[in-house]
Amino acid sequence: MARITTLGDQADDTVASVTPKPKPKALLLIGAAVLLTSALGTGGFVTWQSMSGKAAEADELPPPVYVEVPPMVVNLDNGGGPARFLKARVMIAARDEAAAEQLRARLPEINDSFIAFFRDVRPVDMVGAQGPFRIKEELLLRATAVARPHKVDDVLIQELVQQ
């Protein structure tokens, strides 16, 4: 008997011959991509969880203890021009009460160090936003040097006026 071929049978053969069969190499690449994506997602999640745990620990730290440095008025280095003065009020942030007590005991040394620095400041050094920032950095370095072994967390400029 002869087989009668219909248009529908030819279409099935054509679709079957056109549809490519997945190759083992392509399956391997897809599997590797899925594994890599899941590994990165898991790593990111674990990192995020550990960072949020550290943020919670940071929130639990006690607030700093502030030590006020006596206000000071010093002559600025004006290069032989008219006299210029700087009035400064500064607070030092200590990590705990023990560090604050150490700072209070050494306030004369800290004050002397600050005044020595301020006498070298020129009016031009105070211009713009960078001037007070650099002054703050220098004061932090000087306070830390005097307070050792205790750590100074920050120096807060309360007032910085030149006239």
Side-chain angles (χ1 to χ4, degrees), residues 28-69:
L28 184 63
L29 288 174
I30 291 171
V34 168
L35 280 173
L36 180 64
T37 303
S38 64
L40 288 174
T42 303
F45 179 75
V46 169
T47 303
W48 175 70
Q49 286 292 336
S50 68
M51 294 299 283
S52 64
K54 288 180 184 174
E57 289 174 10
D59 290 342
E60 294 172 7
L61 289 176
V65 179
Y66 296 105
V67 176
E68 189 169 354
V69 177

Side-chain angles (χ1 to χ4, degrees), residues 16 25 34 38 41 44 57 67-68 70 73 75 77 79 84 93 97 101 104 145 152 157:
K25 192 174 188 180
V34 168
S38 64
E57 289 174 10
V67 176
E68 189 169 354
V73 177
N75 291 337
D77 178 14
R84 300 290 302 256
E97 191 58 46
E101 282 303 315
R104 285 185 196 104
V152 173
I157 297 176

Side-chain angles (χ1 to χ4, degrees), residues 125-137:
D125 296 335
M126 307 268 300
V127 175
Q130 291 296 319
F133 181 76
R134 285 192 294 263
I135 288 171
K136 182 177 176 168
E137 284 183 329

Side-chain angles (χ1 to χ4, degrees), residues 11-39:
D12 290 339
D13 290 341
T14 306
V15 170
S17 66
V18 172
T19 306
K21 296 196 182 211
K23 295 182 181 177
K25 192 174 188 180
L27 289 175
L28 184 63
L29 288 174
I30 291 171
V34 168
L35 280 173
L36 180 64
T37 303
S38 64

Side-chain angles (χ1 to χ4, degrees), residues 13 16 43-44 78 95 116 125 145 150 160:
D13 290 341
N78 201 17
R95 178 144 310 179
D125 296 335
H150 296 286
L160 200 58

